[in-house]
Amino acid sequence: GGEKPAVMLIGHYHKRDVCFPREVHVLSGGCTCDQTIFMRKQKIAAHVGYTLVKIKQDPALGVVTRLAEEWFPFYDRGFYQGRY
């Protein structure tokens, strides 16, 4: 409640996460770029895929009454063959 936004979408971190702190729907959507050599050396995972988000909003009040998210991961085993 209060003056906070109802939904926060985060990018850039190559991670997928969903949480609901302080009544704010927070989604980190993953990435479309596979793990780079730098990330592999640092043991940093890349959550490759996309998230489909459906939001239902009360037409009179404008508040979010429902949020559904679905994760679509992408795996490309051929990306790593012969690279490392």
Side-chain angles (χ1 to χ4, degrees), residues 24-71:
V24 177
H25 297 277
V26 179
L27 297 119
S28 180
C31 62
T32 57
C33 175
D34 216 326
Q35 190 182 43
T36 64
I37 294 172
F38 172 79
M39 291 173 71
R40 189 166 177 90
K41 286 180 181 178
Q42 300 297 317
K43 297 183 168 101
I44 300 171
H47 300 163
V48 182
Y50 66 94
T51 303
L52 180 66
V53 181
K54 296 179 184 178
I55 299 173
K56 183 163 175 72
Q57 189 176 24
D58 184 290
L61 300 174
V63 296
V64 174
T65 58
R66 183 177 295 169
L67 187 140
E69 59 86 24
E70 187 174 3
W71 171 245

